[in-house]
Amino acid sequence: MPGHVGTIYAATNAVYVSRATARTVKVLPDGTVFHERAAQKIRRQEQGHQYAEAQLIALGAPVLRAGCDPAVWLRDALAAVGARNVRHRGAHRYVWRLGRNQREREQIKLGLPTQRPYPKQAAPEPIGV
């Protein structure tokens, strides 16, 4: 899970501005990230919760029983499948100046800190939390 540095963005003259907000993500044993939005769908039993539940069940979590609190089931299911917390430093953010021609694009002020150098290497391996 080394991440991406945005080689294609740099090649298309996007401006590198910074990283997005750092956060802790749940990584499942198969290497996929179990997103917080999927967890929220399970907790609230919102549309799409079946897919997220099936993802955990396929990895060995018990089936959600009728009458069981979904939040409690989710906590237990993530523990049962061996999900781990990993600190993600935040995705790299790029922006493009939009205009009809190069002259218009060069005149656009971004309202952001000065342009930063493009990242050249993936971040080091994330640290478990």
Side-chain angles (χ1 to χ4, degrees), residues 97-108:
R97 291 180 172 98
L98 301 177
R100 292 179 296 223
N101 55 47
Q102 184 174 356
R103 178 184 231 182
E104 283 184 8
R105 288 188 294 273
E106 288 173 352
Q107 291 176 349
I108 294 173

PDB file of all heavy atoms in Angstrom, residues 97-108:
ATOM      1  N   ARG A  97      -5.056  24.956 -13.350  1.00  0.00           N
ATOM      2  CA  ARG A  97      -5.571  26.272 -13.724  1.00  0.00           C
ATOM      3  C   ARG A  97      -6.388  26.076 -14.996  1.00  0.00           C
ATOM      4  O   ARG A  97      -5.896  25.475 -15.948  1.00  0.00           O
ATOM      5  CB  ARG A  97      -4.419  27.237 -13.978  1.00  0.00           C
ATOM      6  CG  ARG A  97      -3.665  27.597 -12.739  1.00  0.00           C
ATOM      7  CD  ARG A  97      -2.525  28.560 -13.094  1.00  0.00           C
ATOM      8  NE  ARG A  97      -1.903  29.078 -11.915  1.00  0.00           N
ATOM      9  CZ  ARG A  97      -0.784  28.589 -11.396  1.00  0.00           C
ATOM     10  NH1 ARG A  97      -0.161  27.590 -11.973  1.00  0.00           N
ATOM     11  NH2 ARG A  97      -0.277  29.112 -10.302  1.00  0.00           N
ATOM     12  N   LEU A  98      -7.600  26.588 -15.004  1.00  0.00           N
ATOM     13  CA  LEU A  98      -8.459  26.431 -16.173  1.00  0.00           C
ATOM     14  C   LEU A  98      -8.537  27.738 -16.943  1.00  0.00           C
ATOM     15  O   LEU A  98      -8.658  28.808 -16.356  1.00  0.00           O
ATOM     16  CB  LEU A  98      -9.863  25.986 -15.746  1.00  0.00           C
ATOM     17  CG  LEU A  98      -9.926  24.667 -14.986  1.00  0.00           C
ATOM     18  CD1 LEU A  98     -11.361  24.372 -14.565  1.00  0.00           C
ATOM     19  CD2 LEU A  98      -9.373  23.540 -15.814  1.00  0.00           C
ATOM     20  N   GLY A  99      -8.477  27.646 -18.228  1.00  0.00           N
ATOM     21  CA  GLY A  99      -8.572  28.813 -19.092  1.00  0.00           C
ATOM     22  C   GLY A  99      -8.581  28.351 -20.535  1.00  0.00           C
ATOM     23  O   GLY A  99      -8.263  27.205 -20.835  1.00  0.00           O
ATOM     24  N   ARG A 100      -8.945  29.267 -21.440  1.00  0.00           N
ATOM     25  CA  ARG A 100      -9.026  28.882 -22.855  1.00  0.00           C
ATOM     26  C   ARG A 100      -7.670  28.696 -23.493  1.00  0.00           C
ATOM     27  O   ARG A 100      -7.521  27.981 -24.466  1.00  0.00           O
ATOM     28  CB  ARG A 100      -9.832  29.924 -23.621  1.00  0.00           C
ATOM     29  CG  ARG A 100     -11.296  29.936 -23.231  1.00  0.00           C
ATOM     30  CD  ARG A 100     -12.012  30.988 -24.006  1.00  0.00           C
ATOM     31  NE  ARG A 100     -11.456  32.292 -23.618  1.00  0.00           N
ATOM     32  CZ  ARG A 100     -12.172  33.372 -23.383  1.00  0.00           C
ATOM     33  NH1 ARG A 100     -13.467  33.345 -23.523  1.00  0.00           N
ATOM     34  NH2 ARG A 100     -11.594  34.493 -23.019  1.00  0.00           N
ATOM     35  N   ASN A 101      -6.654  29.365 -22.930  1.00  0.00           N
ATOM     36  CA  ASN A 101      -5.309  29.248 -23.508  1.00  0.00           C
ATOM     37  C   ASN A 101      -4.269  29.387 -22.398  1.00  0.00           C
ATOM     38  O   ASN A 101      -4.600  29.672 -21.242  1.00  0.00           O
ATOM     39  CB  ASN A 101      -5.100  30.283 -24.610  1.00  0.00           C
ATOM     40  CG  ASN A 101      -5.376  31.697 -24.120  1.00  0.00           C
ATOM     41  OD1 ASN A 101      -4.908  32.091 -23.057  1.00  0.00           O
ATOM     42  ND2 ASN A 101      -6.156  32.441 -24.896  1.00  0.00           N
ATOM     43  N   GLN A 102      -3.014  29.211 -22.747  1.00  0.00           N
ATOM     44  CA  GLN A 102      -1.943  29.235 -21.754  1.00  0.00           C
ATOM     45  C   GLN A 102      -1.859  30.595 -21.066  1.00  0.00           C
ATOM     46  O   GLN A 102      -1.629  30.676 -19.869  1.00  0.00           O
ATOM     47  CB  GLN A 102      -0.609  28.883 -22.403  1.00  0.00           C
ATOM     48  CG  GLN A 102       0.514  28.790 -21.388  1.00  0.00           C
ATOM     49  CD  GLN A 102       1.805  28.290 -21.996  1.00  0.00           C
ATOM     50  OE1 GLN A 102       1.855  27.942 -23.173  1.00  0.00           O
ATOM     51  NE2 GLN A 102       2.852  28.259 -21.200  1.00  0.00           N
ATOM     52  N   ARG A 103      -2.057  31.641 -21.824  1.00  0.00           N
ATOM     53  CA  ARG A 103      -1.981  32.995 -21.246  1.00  0.00           C
ATOM     54  C   ARG A 103      -3.016  33.168 -20.143  1.00  0.00           C
ATOM     55  O   ARG A 103      -2.700  33.676 -19.062  1.00  0.00           O
ATOM     56  CB  ARG A 103      -2.184  34.029 -22.340  1.00  0.00           C
ATOM     57  CG  ARG A 103      -2.169  35.439 -21.817  1.00  0.00           C
ATOM     58  CD  ARG A 103      -2.465  36.399 -22.925  1.00  0.00           C
ATOM     59  NE  ARG A 103      -1.436  37.417 -22.937  1.00  0.00           N
ATOM     60  CZ  ARG A 103      -1.429  38.423 -23.772  1.00  0.00           C
ATOM     61  NH1 ARG A 103      -2.346  38.532 -24.691  1.00  0.00           N
ATOM     62  NH2 ARG A 103      -0.474  39.322 -23.699  1.00  0.00           N
ATOM     63  N   GLU A 104      -4.259  32.755 -20.390  1.00  0.00           N
ATOM     64  CA  GLU A 104      -5.303  32.848 -19.359  1.00  0.00           C
ATOM     65  C   GLU A 104      -4.955  31.991 -18.154  1.00  0.00           C
ATOM     66  O   GLU A 104      -5.153  32.399 -17.015  1.00  0.00           O
ATOM     67  CB  GLU A 104      -6.661  32.417 -19.921  1.00  0.00           C
ATOM     68  CG  GLU A 104      -7.321  33.442 -20.794  1.00  0.00           C
ATOM     69  CD  GLU A 104      -8.706  33.014 -21.253  1.00  0.00           C
ATOM     70  OE1 GLU A 104      -9.211  31.972 -20.766  1.00  0.00           O
ATOM     71  OE2 GLU A 104      -9.290  33.721 -22.075  1.00  0.00           O
ATOM     72  N   ARG A 105      -4.456  30.798 -18.396  1.00  0.00           N
ATOM     73  CA  ARG A 105      -4.118  29.905 -17.290  1.00  0.00           C
ATOM     74  C   ARG A 105      -3.007  30.484 -16.424  1.00  0.00           C
ATOM     75  O   ARG A 105      -3.025  30.383 -15.213  1.00  0.00           O
ATOM     76  CB  ARG A 105      -3.733  28.523 -17.821  1.00  0.00           C
ATOM     77  CG  ARG A 105      -4.939  27.751 -18.349  1.00  0.00           C
ATOM     78  CD  ARG A 105      -4.592  26.326 -18.684  1.00  0.00           C
ATOM     79  NE  ARG A 105      -3.670  26.192 -19.806  1.00  0.00           N
ATOM     80  CZ  ARG A 105      -4.016  26.142 -21.086  1.00  0.00           C
ATOM     81  NH1 ARG A 105      -5.293  26.215 -21.433  1.00  0.00           N
ATOM     82  NH2 ARG A 105      -3.111  26.005 -22.029  1.00  0.00           N
ATOM     83  N   GLU A 106      -2.008  31.107 -17.048  1.00  0.00           N
ATOM     84  CA  GLU A 106      -0.899  31.671 -16.292  1.00  0.00           C
ATOM     85  C   GLU A 106      -1.319  32.874 -15.457  1.00  0.00           C
ATOM     86  O   GLU A 106      -0.687  33.188 -14.453  1.00  0.00           O
ATOM     87  CB  GLU A 106       0.233  32.060 -17.237  1.00  0.00           C
ATOM     88  CG  GLU A 106       0.957  30.859 -17.804  1.00  0.00           C
ATOM     89  CD  GLU A 106       1.964  31.223 -18.877  1.00  0.00           C
ATOM     90  OE1 GLU A 106       2.002  32.405 -19.312  1.00  0.00           O
ATOM     91  OE2 GLU A 106       2.718  30.329 -19.289  1.00  0.00           O
ATOM     92  N   GLN A 107      -2.397  33.548 -15.827  1.00  0.00           N
ATOM     93  CA  GLN A 107      -2.855  34.727 -15.092  1.00  0.00           C
ATOM     94  C   GLN A 107      -3.717  34.361 -13.875  1.00  0.00           C
ATOM     95  O   GLN A 107      -3.961  35.202 -13.026  1.00  0.00           O
ATOM     96  CB  GLN A 107      -3.650  35.649 -16.022  1.00  0.00           C
ATOM     97  CG  GLN A 107      -2.778  36.292 -17.074  1.00  0.00           C
ATOM     98  CD  GLN A 107      -3.589  37.129 -18.054  1.00  0.00           C
ATOM     99  OE1 GLN A 107      -4.814  37.065 -18.075  1.00  0.00           O
ATOM    100  NE2 GLN A 107      -2.895  37.915 -18.860  1.00  0.00           N
ATOM    101  N   ILE A 108      -4.127  33.137 -13.780  1.00  0.00           N
ATOM    102  CA  ILE A 108      -4.993  32.719 -12.669  1.00  0.00           C
ATOM    103  C   ILE A 108      -4.177  32.587 -11.399  1.00  0.00           C
ATOM    104  O   ILE A 108      -3.164  31.900 -11.359  1.00  0.00           O
ATOM    105  CB  ILE A 108      -5.708  31.394 -13.007  1.00  0.00           C
ATOM    106  CG1 ILE A 108      -6.668  31.623 -14.161  1.00  0.00           C
ATOM    107  CG2 ILE A 108      -6.434  30.843 -11.791  1.00  0.00           C
ATOM    108  CD1 ILE A 108      -7.298  30.356 -14.679  1.00  0.00           C
TER     109      ILE A 108
END
